[in-house]
Amino acid sequence: MADRPVDPKGPKMTIPTQLVLRAMIADPTKEFYGLELGQLAELASGTIHPILARLEGCGWVESRWEDQDPREIGRPRRRYYQLTPGGVAYGARALQRVRTPAAMLARLVPRPVTGGGC
Amino acid sequence: MTTVDRPLRELHRVLRDATTNADGVVRDLERSITVATTPDEKRVRELLSGRDFRSEFVREIDAVLEALFILDTDFAVSLSRDLDRLLERFSVFDAGLRSMRGQAALRGLVDELRGMAGVVESELAPLERVEISPGVVPAGSVDVRTPLLVGRRLLEDAVRLLPVTHQARYREEFLAELHVLVGSEASGWAQLRYAVAIAGRVWTLRRALRVMSPVGERVR
């Protein structure tokens, strides 16, 4: 995993981004693969990877390949994502700032993400 | 399918027509499901006898694929919304099979519907190119289950729209997730829906990757 500088401002806090961050911060040391994280955050499949790419670009998330030989496991390797220490700290602060109740987030239908920082 | 010479707006119209037609197909299917729970086999057969579901589904899905071949245009986002809508309707097909499963009186009908789904998938299979990923499972390896061919093709087409330096990564990552769905016994429709969702948002991913790319990296 190549270290990226952490951007304290992070990406634009869209609702889908908040949902992803909340899911990851709930278990900050856990590694997730994209589909799994999308299901946890209740986001459509195509929505999760652009968000993860932005979070990774900001240094809030890092990713690595599953440590398995595809020939042995009989399938391609999964890509695992995990919050960086900076991502945990800045992400928690960012979520506090937006003050969108989690219950409200859960009811909203996520829309495709556009724009954003980093 | 030869679509490259067709005007893009015409293709968009084709997709919209397909969506409208699919509405009719699914509406009939929904009616038959409702009746099937009664269950009144005679009534279900009456409802289904007037339609050739197989050819209709093949035609509609063919239109979807045709439209997806122009993903490298600005229509990609609006097309993907239409595709989501269309595939959502096809999911009723799955629901129909589930609701009728286990009803002895309707076993023949369920088998018939399941056969239709199989035919649709097998007719789509020749559209697939052979090898799409360095991570493809070699013959004789541990897991012989492979994702739906058309789903893999859609993902491959979508990945080609990403910056070249990111293509290998996302090709393997998306295919791995498709394998997760296969491993969880997801239906062919669920796999197709996943691939369409990825393909439909590939421009958003591309924008995100361009931002995070190292300075000076050229994006195709």
Side-chain angles (χ1 to χ4, degrees):
Chain A
M1 274 183 270
D3 288 338
R4 280 180 181 273
V6 181
D7 180 351
K9 287 199 300 186
K12 186 177 175 185
M13 277 293 117
T14 60
I15 288 173
T17 302
Q18 292 174 48
L19 290 168
V20 171
L21 271 178
R22 282 187 197 283
M24 295 186 86
I25 283 178
D27 198 348
T29 58
K30 180 176 162 58
E31 292 183 303
F32 304 87
Y33 56 91
L35 187 66
E36 174 187 29
L37 195 50
Q39 287 167 347
L40 277 173
E42 298 185 21
L43 290 173
S45 307
T47 312
I48 195 78
H49 291 94
I51 293 171
L52 289 171
R54 286 198 174 89
L55 290 170
E56 196 169 2
C58 295
W60 288 20
V61 162
E62 56 191 2
S63 66
R64 68 166 182 90
W65 286 116
E66 181 179 18
D67 190 19
Q68 297 274 359
D69 183 347
R71 294 182 188 282
E72 287 179 7
I73 55 178
R75 59 169 173 74
R77 295 168 300 170
R78 293 174 189 165
R79 186 81 178 180
Y80 281 109
Y81 296 86
Q82 185 182 29
L83 284 170
T84 62
V88 175
Y90 293 126
R93 269 181 238 164
L95 287 175
Q96 283 175 347
R97 275 200 304 273
V98 292
R99 290 179 187 163
T100 310
M104 185 182 291
L105 288 179
R107 286 200 302 272
L108 294 172
V109 177
R111 289 175 293 183
V113 184
T114 55
C118 300
Chain B
M1 285 187 287
T2 56
T3 63
V4 287
D5 298 325
R6 296 181 65 178
L8 303 181
R9 289 186 186 282
E10 171 65 12
L11 283 171
H12 201 188
R13 188 190 63 74
V14 167
L15 178 65
R16 286 195 178 283
D17 288 350
T19 306
T20 305
N21 293 336
D23 280 344
V25 174
V26 172
R27 209 176 303 123
D28 280 2
L29 189 58
E30 282 172 334
R31 271 202 297 271
S32 61
I33 292 164
T34 307
V35 175
T37 56
T38 311
D40 182 346
E41 187 181 6
K42 187 179 173 215
R43 177 69 184 131
V44 173
R45 287 196 178 282
E46 279 174 8
L47 275 169
L48 292 178
S49 61
R51 301 200 79 112
D52 181 354
F53 278 94
R54 184 191 110 170
S55 64
E56 291 199 40
F57 271 91
V58 168
R59 195 173 64 243
E60 306 308 346
I61 292 175
D62 192 58
V64 171
L65 295 180
E66 193 175 35
L68 277 172
F69 286 148
I70 59 165
L71 269 173
D72 55 343
T73 76
D74 290 338
F75 283 110
V77 173
S78 58
L79 280 175
S80 70
R81 275 191 219 110
D82 291 340
L83 289 168
D84 281 348
R85 190 166 155 253
L86 182 58
L87 287 167
E88 201 57 43
R89 279 152 178 71
F90 284 139
S91 69
V92 175
F93 190 82
D94 277 338
L97 290 180
R98 279 196 299 274
S99 69
M100 288 193 246
R101 195 168 292 147
Q103 296 183 38
L106 297 173
R107 188 168 294 150
L109 186 59
V110 172
D111 288 343
E112 192 180 338
L113 287 172
R114 192 177 289 128
M116 289 175 194
V119 168
V120 169
E121 291 187 4
S122 66
E123 292 200 9
L124 290 171
L127 299 174
E128 170 68 7
R129 288 185 287 272
V130 184
E131 184 82 2
I132 67 159
S133 163
V136 158
V137 183
S141 62
V142 177
D143 191 347
V144 294
R145 293 173 299 182
T146 54
L148 189 67
L149 298 176
V150 69
R152 292 166 52 195
R153 175 176 181 153
L154 290 180
L155 289 179
E156 173 65 14
D157 284 348
V159 164
R160 284 209 189 90
L161 301 178
L162 297 175
V164 173
T165 50
H166 294 281
Q167 287 184 9
R169 166 184 165 174
Y170 282 98
R171 181 178 293 115
E172 185 165 4
E173 184 169 352
F174 292 152
L175 194 57
E177 294 188 355
L178 203 54
H179 274 264
V180 172
L181 290 174
V182 174
S184 62
E185 309 292 335
S187 68
W189 301 114
Q191 294 174 46
L192 192 56
R193 198 173 302 121
Y194 168 81
V196 167
I198 293 292
R201 304 269 157 74
V202 75
W203 285 102
T204 310
L205 178 59
R206 180 186 163 97
R207 279 196 299 274
L209 293 172
R210 289 180 73 168
V211 172
M212 74 176 278
S213 295
V215 176
E217 181 181 317
R218 290 181 65 85
V219 174
R220 186 165 61 104

mmCIF file of all heavy atoms in Angstrom, chain B residues 59-79:
data_model
loop_
_atom_site.group_PDB
_atom_site.id
_atom_site.type_symbol
_atom_site.label_atom_id
_atom_site.label_comp_id
_atom_site.label_asym_id
_atom_site.label_seq_id
_atom_site.Cartn_x
_atom_site.Cartn_y
_atom_site.Cartn_z
ATOM 1 N N ARG B 59 -35.469 -10.430 -26.788
ATOM 2 C CA ARG B 59 -35.466 -9.177 -27.544
ATOM 3 C C ARG B 59 -35.153 -7.988 -26.635
ATOM 4 O O ARG B 59 -34.356 -7.117 -26.969
ATOM 5 C CB ARG B 59 -36.806 -8.982 -28.240
ATOM 6 C CG ARG B 59 -36.737 -7.904 -29.322
ATOM 7 C CD ARG B 59 -38.010 -7.816 -30.142
ATOM 8 N NE ARG B 59 -39.166 -7.418 -29.367
ATOM 9 C CZ ARG B 59 -40.246 -8.155 -29.165
ATOM 10 N NH1 ARG B 59 -40.309 -9.367 -29.667
ATOM 11 N NH2 ARG B 59 -41.263 -7.704 -28.458
ATOM 12 N N GLU B 60 -35.793 -7.963 -25.472
ATOM 13 C CA GLU B 60 -35.586 -6.817 -24.583
ATOM 14 C C GLU B 60 -34.146 -6.781 -24.063
ATOM 15 O O GLU B 60 -33.519 -5.732 -24.004
ATOM 16 C CB GLU B 60 -36.550 -6.874 -23.387
ATOM 17 C CG GLU B 60 -38.028 -7.000 -23.740
ATOM 18 C CD GLU B 60 -38.506 -5.968 -24.726
ATOM 19 O OE1 GLU B 60 -37.791 -4.964 -24.962
ATOM 20 O OE2 GLU B 60 -39.588 -6.154 -25.290
ATOM 21 N N ILE B 61 -33.647 -7.937 -23.701
ATOM 22 C CA ILE B 61 -32.280 -7.946 -23.179
ATOM 23 C C ILE B 61 -31.289 -7.616 -24.283
ATOM 24 O O ILE B 61 -30.293 -6.933 -24.074
ATOM 25 C CB ILE B 61 -31.961 -9.307 -22.535
ATOM 26 C CG1 ILE B 61 -32.811 -9.456 -21.283
ATOM 27 C CG2 ILE B 61 -30.486 -9.395 -22.176
ATOM 28 C CD1 ILE B 61 -32.685 -10.789 -20.622
ATOM 29 N N ASP B 62 -31.589 -8.063 -25.468
ATOM 30 C CA ASP B 62 -30.734 -7.743 -26.595
ATOM 31 C C ASP B 62 -30.657 -6.228 -26.779
ATOM 32 O O ASP B 62 -29.592 -5.664 -27.035
ATOM 33 C CB ASP B 62 -31.294 -8.396 -27.851
ATOM 34 C CG ASP B 62 -30.304 -8.358 -28.989
ATOM 35 O OD1 ASP B 62 -29.200 -8.893 -28.796
ATOM 36 O OD2 ASP B 62 -30.624 -7.796 -30.038
ATOM 37 N N ALA B 63 -31.791 -5.565 -26.600
ATOM 38 C CA ALA B 63 -31.810 -4.103 -26.731
ATOM 39 C C ALA B 63 -30.967 -3.449 -25.640
ATOM 40 O O ALA B 63 -30.280 -2.452 -25.871
ATOM 41 C CB ALA B 63 -33.246 -3.601 -26.657
ATOM 42 N N VAL B 64 -31.026 -4.032 -24.446
ATOM 43 C CA VAL B 64 -30.219 -3.508 -23.345
ATOM 44 C C VAL B 64 -28.740 -3.597 -23.688
ATOM 45 O O VAL B 64 -27.986 -2.634 -23.559
ATOM 46 C CB VAL B 64 -30.490 -4.309 -22.050
ATOM 47 C CG1 VAL B 64 -29.490 -3.924 -20.971
ATOM 48 C CG2 VAL B 64 -31.903 -4.057 -21.567
ATOM 49 N N LEU B 65 -28.332 -4.761 -24.171
ATOM 50 C CA LEU B 65 -26.922 -4.950 -24.497
ATOM 51 C C LEU B 65 -26.500 -4.033 -25.627
ATOM 52 O O LEU B 65 -25.410 -3.467 -25.632
ATOM 53 C CB LEU B 65 -26.678 -6.405 -24.879
ATOM 54 C CG LEU B 65 -26.897 -7.410 -23.762
ATOM 55 C CD1 LEU B 65 -26.630 -8.813 -24.255
ATOM 56 C CD2 LEU B 65 -25.986 -7.093 -22.594
ATOM 57 N N GLU B 66 -27.389 -3.906 -26.583
ATOM 58 C CA GLU B 66 -27.103 -3.044 -27.724
ATOM 59 C C GLU B 66 -26.813 -1.627 -27.236
ATOM 60 O O GLU B 66 -25.861 -0.984 -27.654
ATOM 61 C CB GLU B 66 -28.315 -3.036 -28.648
ATOM 62 C CG GLU B 66 -28.060 -2.452 -29.996
ATOM 63 C CD GLU B 66 -29.300 -2.596 -30.878
ATOM 64 O OE1 GLU B 66 -30.418 -2.497 -30.342
ATOM 65 O OE2 GLU B 66 -29.140 -2.803 -32.057
ATOM 66 N N ALA B 67 -27.638 -1.177 -26.324
ATOM 67 C CA ALA B 67 -27.464 0.174 -25.800
ATOM 68 C C ALA B 67 -26.171 0.295 -25.002
ATOM 69 O O ALA B 67 -25.501 1.323 -25.036
ATOM 70 C CB ALA B 67 -28.654 0.539 -24.923
ATOM 71 N N LEU B 68 -25.820 -0.755 -24.305
ATOM 72 C CA LEU B 68 -24.612 -0.683 -23.473
ATOM 73 C C LEU B 68 -23.335 -0.575 -24.302
ATOM 74 O O LEU B 68 -22.314 -0.128 -23.811
ATOM 75 C CB LEU B 68 -24.530 -1.919 -22.578
ATOM 76 C CG LEU B 68 -25.356 -1.806 -21.310
ATOM 77 C CD1 LEU B 68 -25.387 -3.133 -20.592
ATOM 78 C CD2 LEU B 68 -24.795 -0.739 -20.394
ATOM 79 N N PHE B 69 -23.399 -0.976 -25.549
ATOM 80 C CA PHE B 69 -22.206 -0.900 -26.374
ATOM 81 C C PHE B 69 -21.809 0.539 -26.675
ATOM 82 O O PHE B 69 -20.769 0.797 -27.243
ATOM 83 C CB PHE B 69 -22.401 -1.680 -27.686
ATOM 84 C CG PHE B 69 -22.347 -3.155 -27.487
ATOM 85 C CD1 PHE B 69 -23.093 -4.003 -28.264
ATOM 86 C CD2 PHE B 69 -21.546 -3.694 -26.496
ATOM 87 C CE1 PHE B 69 -23.049 -5.370 -28.065
ATOM 88 C CE2 PHE B 69 -21.501 -5.059 -26.294
ATOM 89 C CZ PHE B 69 -22.249 -5.896 -27.079
ATOM 90 N N ILE B 70 -22.636 1.473 -26.333
ATOM 91 C CA ILE B 70 -22.268 2.869 -26.584
ATOM 92 C C ILE B 70 -21.964 3.570 -25.274
ATOM 93 O O ILE B 70 -22.172 4.754 -25.119
ATOM 94 C CB ILE B 70 -23.362 3.623 -27.346
ATOM 95 C CG1 ILE B 70 -24.676 3.600 -26.567
ATOM 96 C CG2 ILE B 70 -23.555 3.039 -28.719
ATOM 97 C CD1 ILE B 70 -25.674 4.603 -27.075
ATOM 98 N N LEU B 71 -21.454 2.812 -24.331
ATOM 99 C CA LEU B 71 -21.167 3.399 -23.024
ATOM 100 C C LEU B 71 -20.136 4.523 -23.083
ATOM 101 O O LEU B 71 -20.030 5.318 -22.184
ATOM 102 C CB LEU B 71 -20.653 2.319 -22.076
ATOM 103 C CG LEU B 71 -21.742 1.632 -21.274
ATOM 104 C CD1 LEU B 71 -21.140 0.474 -20.505
ATOM 105 C CD2 LEU B 71 -22.414 2.588 -20.333
ATOM 106 N N ASP B 72 -19.359 4.544 -24.149
ATOM 107 C CA ASP B 72 -18.350 5.595 -24.225
ATOM 108 C C ASP B 72 -18.940 6.883 -24.794
ATOM 109 O O ASP B 72 -18.308 7.603 -25.519
ATOM 110 C CB ASP B 72 -17.159 5.135 -25.052
ATOM 111 C CG ASP B 72 -17.562 4.673 -26.428
ATOM 112 O OD1 ASP B 72 -18.757 4.413 -26.628
ATOM 113 O OD2 ASP B 72 -16.685 4.586 -27.289
ATOM 114 N N THR B 73 -20.157 7.174 -24.466
ATOM 115 C CA THR B 73 -20.777 8.419 -24.910
ATOM 116 C C THR B 73 -21.358 9.125 -23.685
ATOM 117 O O THR B 73 -21.428 8.576 -22.595
ATOM 118 C CB THR B 73 -21.942 8.155 -25.884
ATOM 119 O OG1 THR B 73 -23.056 7.706 -25.121
ATOM 120 C CG2 THR B 73 -21.574 7.125 -26.916
ATOM 121 N N ASP B 74 -21.797 10.349 -23.917
ATOM 122 C CA ASP B 74 -22.375 11.105 -22.811
ATOM 123 C C ASP B 74 -23.740 10.571 -22.390
ATOM 124 O O ASP B 74 -24.295 10.987 -21.384
ATOM 125 C CB ASP B 74 -22.528 12.582 -23.209
ATOM 126 C CG ASP B 74 -21.175 13.242 -23.321
ATOM 127 O OD1 ASP B 74 -20.220 12.714 -22.712
ATOM 128 O OD2 ASP B 74 -21.067 14.274 -24.001
ATOM 129 N N PHE B 75 -24.270 9.633 -23.148
ATOM 130 C CA PHE B 75 -25.578 9.076 -22.801
ATOM 131 C C PHE B 75 -25.494 8.023 -21.699
ATOM 132 O O PHE B 75 -26.505 7.531 -21.231
ATOM 133 C CB PHE B 75 -26.221 8.426 -24.024
ATOM 134 C CG PHE B 75 -26.803 9.408 -24.986
ATOM 135 C CD1 PHE B 75 -26.208 9.614 -26.208
ATOM 136 C CD2 PHE B 75 -27.932 10.136 -24.664
ATOM 137 C CE1 PHE B 75 -26.726 10.523 -27.099
ATOM 138 C CE2 PHE B 75 -28.450 11.045 -25.550
ATOM 139 C CZ PHE B 75 -27.847 11.252 -26.778
ATOM 140 N N ALA B 76 -24.283 7.708 -21.312
ATOM 141 C CA ALA B 76 -24.111 6.573 -20.406
ATOM 142 C C ALA B 76 -24.963 6.689 -19.139
ATOM 143 O O ALA B 76 -25.605 5.736 -18.723
ATOM 144 C CB ALA B 76 -22.642 6.423 -20.033
ATOM 145 N N VAL B 77 -24.975 7.872 -18.550
ATOM 146 C CA VAL B 77 -25.674 8.016 -17.275
ATOM 147 C C VAL B 77 -27.176 7.834 -17.442
ATOM 148 O O VAL B 77 -27.816 7.081 -16.698
ATOM 149 C CB VAL B 77 -25.365 9.377 -16.647
ATOM 150 C CG1 VAL B 77 -26.204 9.599 -15.411
ATOM 151 C CG2 VAL B 77 -23.884 9.455 -16.281
ATOM 152 N N SER B 78 -27.752 8.499 -18.445
ATOM 153 C CA SER B 78 -29.191 8.366 -18.617
ATOM 154 C C SER B 78 -29.556 6.952 -19.057
ATOM 155 O O SER B 78 -30.579 6.404 -18.656
ATOM 156 C CB SER B 78 -29.711 9.386 -19.628
ATOM 157 O OG SER B 78 -29.059 9.224 -20.861
ATOM 158 N N LEU B 79 -28.691 6.349 -19.844
ATOM 159 C CA LEU B 79 -28.944 4.963 -20.242
ATOM 160 C C LEU B 79 -28.950 4.046 -19.033
ATOM 161 O O LEU B 79 -29.785 3.159 -18.914
ATOM 162 C CB LEU B 79 -27.863 4.492 -21.212
ATOM 163 C CG LEU B 79 -27.998 4.927 -22.664
ATOM 164 C CD1 LEU B 79 -26.780 4.479 -23.454
ATOM 165 C CD2 LEU B 79 -29.248 4.357 -23.284
#
